[in-house]
Amino acid sequence: METVTAAIPASSVTVEEFIQTYANHPVYLPPRGPQLHAKNWQSEAALRMFLNNLTAEVAENPEKLVVYGGIGQAARTPQDARKIVELLLTLEEDESLLVQSGKPVGKVRTHAEAPRVLIANSNLVPHWATWEHFNNLRERGLMMYGQMTAGSWIYIGTQGILQGTYETFAACGRIHFNGDLRHRLLVTGGLGGMGGAQPLAATMAGATFLGVDVDPERIKKRLETRYLDKMTYDYREAMRLVLAAKDKGEAISVGLVGDIGDVLEQMLQDGITPDILTDQTSAHDPINGYVPNGFSLEEARQLRESDPEQYRQKSLKSMARHVGFMLELQRRGSKTFDYGNNLREFAQQGGEPYAFQINGFVPEYMRPLFCEGKGPFRWAALSGDPEDIRVTDEALKELFPENTHMINWLEQAQEKVAFQGLPCRICWLGMGEREKAGLLFNRLVREGKVKAPLVIGRDHLDCGSVASPYRETEGMLDGSDAVSDWPLLNLMANTSGGATWVSFHHGGGVGIGYSQHAGMVVLADGTDRADRCLSRVLHNDPALGIYRHADAGYETAQQNAAKFGLQI
Ligand code: NAD
């Protein structure tokens, strides 16, 4: 039997009617349920996930097509978004759509097991790979910033980063605090699209949490989605709350409106030293992300428009000041780490010579997981029914009964994570596990245990898909931090393996000039074709991570290569 779900015929809605209902800028909605609107489930999946990226519950700013991470967009302009929808509705199974920095530019002849969409975002020839050149092109309408999962249509709201953040905080707890974060205060800046995962991840890991954001609307959004417990505009009140909770060992989270630099300065003056200190402001983008010290949001907006160069200079100076305070707190005992936003580099440019005395989170906490091919495996229920995610959660628990860490995570996530947009789940899985999980999900679809197909993807922040010397590939054993052949090989492996859409991006996470990375999403629609594609892609993708780390000399990766038959 091929598939139950594909048997439901395409709806008779016209392209124009579809756009009025689901893609009427700035109101984007992913269709739900088992009915097809496109010509096949592969295009339908891309269509639903594209619209899901832009829907109000998920995207930070649908009006500007911004999904997360500063100016990370899903399409370049509203006209491009509309055209992408039109093309996905009519795409045949032997065609693939080409998307260049958020603009659909053509279709190529392919075949049923090839990706339906081929995406390249924000790529520049290295010599010209600067924010300055990029922003000039962007202003002229020639490019957009794709971040990681914004332009590759597999952002799933703040949950996407939640488990990675939880894993990072838990690893920090294991390494520095005997695995117990109770009675520990964690302080950070930035509660935006990604940074907004920090309060819930911290409290799930047992810590008391203080997050500082200059924009009250961002903090309110985290309260609404239950990622954050309390919000205040008052520094003294915030300190009273967190210090009392820390004393009692209560895992609560507080969001404070303010400039992170000012708050750290005040904490230093008050002699308050957090146990853990990090940052997730949009430091990767000194013009459109970070807000300089002393500026209201409105003043920042005006200067950004009237004099971007002056804005940049002020941003760099503020980051230097901010990192100066972090370094002082580190000296006083805070376990301090850079959280992948390139804050150290821009602080150095702004005049803080010791910025890189703060370590990156990947070499500190993530690399051992990468050596097992582990990374942010995620999936979404195209039916839109949360019950489908519950079914997948339970099926995974049955499939991996020995993986108590994963089971604990899934149970906490079921209880505490509010879905945004299409229901989805994230759960870090490694080599071998991902393929098994993918085939299991395809069986659930085939047997009608879930109401429509599932899509499986991942963040680009994965074991074998990124070259990012200030983040994922910082401090590689053999010094190969900046070698970007690996993400290209990852892209090629996933394209030839039959992912449903693939992407290659530049500048995600740490900004233009600092990273290159590849993404993939693969569909489980219950068909035999999906079995073949899932099996190849979900084997190859983590295998690239093991090859990359084994080649760099990591012993655990070499052992895993032997264990999984990946030696050559
Ligand atoms: P975002 O733009 O949605 O949010 C950034 C937040 O920082 C905003 O709410 C903004 O108001 C706040 N902010 C800016 N300047 C501030 C200041 N001076 N003081 C206090 N708050 C300030 O971005 P995001 O999606 O949350 O991503 C945050 C950063 O983390 C980005 O640089 C991103 O590239 C990086 N990132 C890290 C990881 C990771 O795994 N570590 C993953 C993805 C992204």
Side-chain angles (χ1 to χ4, degrees):
M1 182 171 70
E2 273 290 280
T3 172
V4 179
T5 44
I8 297 191
S11 75
S12 54
V13 172
T14 64
V15 169
E16 200 44 50
E17 284 166 345
F18 184 94
I19 284 173
Q20 285 305 316
T21 312
Y22 297 109
N24 195 359
H25 183 81
V27 181
Y28 294 94
L29 297 167
R32 293 164 188 245
Q35 180 134 35
L36 275 176
H37 304 80
K39 294 198 166 175
N40 54 69
W41 269 108
Q42 297 172 73
S43 313
E44 179 85 16
L47 177 69
R48 289 191 189 196
M49 293 311 289
F50 171 70
L51 294 169
N52 193 53
N53 261 19
L54 286 171
T55 200
E57 276 179 58
V58 175
E60 293 293 316
N61 186 350
E63 175 75 42
K64 296 212 155 111
L65 304 165
V66 166
V67 183
Y68 78 98
I71 51 164
Q73 288 175 229
R76 205 186 301 176
T77 65
Q79 295 71 32
D80 293 320
R82 185 193 163 99
K83 190 78 189 162
I84 286 170
V85 169
E86 276 175 33
L87 286 161
L88 288 174
L89 283 169
T90 51
L91 199 70
E92 299 292 344
E93 215 174 38
D94 58 359
E95 295 177 320
S96 300
L97 174 62
L98 303 175
V99 179
Q100 180 257 323
S101 286
K103 176 183 176 181
V105 291
K107 291 192 286 189
V108 288
R109 292 182 201 167
T110 53
H111 53 86
E113 296 193 18
R116 290 285 66 79
V117 194
L118 304 166
I119 299 172
N121 280 322
S122 329
N123 294 291
L124 289 165
V125 171
H127 183 74
W128 286 267
T130 62
W131 270 121
E132 199 184 17
H133 191 77
F134 173 82
N135 282 332
N136 179 284
L137 291 165
R138 184 169 174 266
E139 271 153 34
R140 293 195 288 127
L142 296 172
M143 282 206 128
M144 72 159 203
Y145 183 53
Q147 255 293 5
M148 287 196 160
T149 51
S152 59
W153 311 345
I154 187 68
Y155 184 66
I156 54 171
T158 305
Q159 189 198 168
I161 198 67
L162 182 65
Q163 199 203 10
T165 312
Y166 167 81
E167 295 280 354
T168 307
F169 293 164
C172 177
R174 276 194 302 276
I175 292 170
H176 301 297
F177 303 104
N178 287 325
D180 186 1
L181 287 178
R182 280 172 306 164
H183 301 285
R184 301 292 173 186
L185 174 62
L186 190 158
V187 174
T188 185
L191 295 174
M194 297 268 110
Q198 295 176 103
L200 183 54
T203 53
M204 283 169 111
T208 304
F209 174 91
L210 176 69
V212 182
D213 200 297
V214 69
D215 184 347
E217 291 310 313
R218 298 306 190 91
I219 303 185
K220 282 183 199 153
K221 193 158 181 173
R222 306 310 150 215
L223 276 178
E224 281 158 20
T225 47
R226 298 191 287 126
Y227 274 69
L228 181 77
D229 299 321
K230 291 193 172 73
M231 169 176 177
T232 175
Y233 288 78
D234 179 6
Y235 168 83
R236 297 275 159 223
E237 189 194 2
M239 285 305 143
R240 259 196 315 276
L241 285 167
V242 295
L243 293 178
K246 175 183 151 135
D247 267 0
K248 288 188 228 151
E250 274 175 13
I252 63 149
S253 56
V254 176
L256 170 63
V257 183
D259 170 68
I260 179 67
D262 286 349
V263 171
L264 296 184
E265 184 181 35
Q266 193 61 51
M267 289 179 77
L268 279 164
Q269 280 170 16
D270 294 346
I272 300 169
T273 305
D275 298 287
I276 303 171
L277 177 62
T278 188
D279 185 74
Q280 281 221 29
T281 55
S282 276
H284 70 278
D285 186 342
I287 295 180
N288 293 298
Y290 198 83
V291 176
N293 178 250
F295 277 71
S296 71
L297 289 175
E298 182 49 27
E299 287 163 350
R301 193 190 60 73
Q302 283 175 15
L303 183 62
R304 194 178 275 144
E305 276 168 22
S306 63
D307 191 345
E309 184 45 32
Q310 198 196 345
Y311 187 105
R312 199 176 76 85
Q313 291 303 334
K314 287 196 181 295
S315 244
L316 298 186
K317 272 219 163 78
S318 303
M319 288 193 231
R321 172 178 177 267
H322 170 179
V323 168
F325 297 141
M326 290 178 80
L327 284 162
E328 181 51 32
L329 286 165
Q330 177 167 266
R331 278 190 283 276
R332 293 189 188 183
S334 294
K335 299 298 172 201
T336 306
F337 59 92
D338 173 281
Y339 210 168
N341 58 358
N342 215 8
L343 178 65
R344 294 169 299 177
E345 168 66 18
F346 291 120
Q348 187 169 280
Q349 290 183 20
E352 175 47 72
Y354 302 111
F356 280 89
Q357 285 187 357
I358 295 172
N359 281 337
F361 76 109
V362 173
E364 286 277 291
Y365 307 123
M366 296 283 108
R367 187 141 309 133
L369 301 177
F370 286 169
C371 290
E372 293 175 44
K374 282 203 169 131
F377 183 86
R378 61 178 57 175
W379 62 101
L382 296 178
S383 66
D385 187 342
E387 175 59 16
D388 281 359
I389 291 296
R390 199 195 59 77
V391 169
T392 56
D393 285 345
E394 296 309 319
L396 271 190
K397 287 196 232 166
E398 249 177 59
L399 183 66
F400 302 121
E402 70 296 344
N403 191 341
T404 48
H405 185 73
M406 180 206 75
I407 292 175
N408 178 39
W409 158 259
L410 289 176
E411 284 174 354
Q412 288 216 53
Q414 276 180 333
E415 189 195 328
K416 294 182 180 163
V417 172
F419 293 131
Q420 294 167 260
L422 290 174
C424 56
R425 182 66 77 224
I426 175 156
C427 153
W428 277 41
L429 291 180
M431 186 70 212
E433 294 171 326
R434 296 196 203 186
E435 184 182 357
K436 282 189 195 151
L439 293 173
L440 169 74
F441 288 179
N442 205 34
R443 205 178 71 224
L444 295 177
V445 179
R446 181 185 298 124
E447 292 172 356
K449 300 253 168 63
V450 290
K451 295 173 197 72
L454 303 161
V455 283
I456 299 165
R458 57 159 171 75
D459 197 350
H460 298 197
L461 185 176
D462 196 20
C463 50
S465 56
V466 193
S468 183
Y470 290 158
R471 212 167 92 169
E472 287 83 350
T473 52
E474 174 171 349
M476 292 295 288
L477 212 50
D478 62 350
S480 60
D481 308 17
V483 175
S484 60
D485 295 335
W486 295 100
L488 278 159
L489 288 172
N490 178 273
L491 170 79
M492 291 185 257
N494 285 330
T495 306
S496 35
T500 309
W501 61 100
V502 288
S503 50
F504 194 81
H505 290 200
H506 161 217
V510 283
I512 294 296
Y514 295 97
S515 62
Q516 289 178 296
H517 38 98
M520 71 81 193
V521 182
V522 57
L523 174 73
D525 62 359
T527 59
D528 295 342
R529 178 196 49 72
D531 264 346
R532 290 189 294 276
C533 291
L534 285 159
S535 180
R536 287 189 298 253
V537 171
L538 296 176
H539 170 89
N540 295 346
D541 193 42
L544 254 292
I546 292 190
Y547 286 133
R548 201 269 177 262
H549 289 87
D551 187 69
Y554 290 90
E555 249 176 58
T556 28
Q558 288 162 356
Q559 287 156 4
N560 279 314
K563 178 174 160 193
F564 292 103
L566 298 176
Q567 284 152 320
I568 48 166

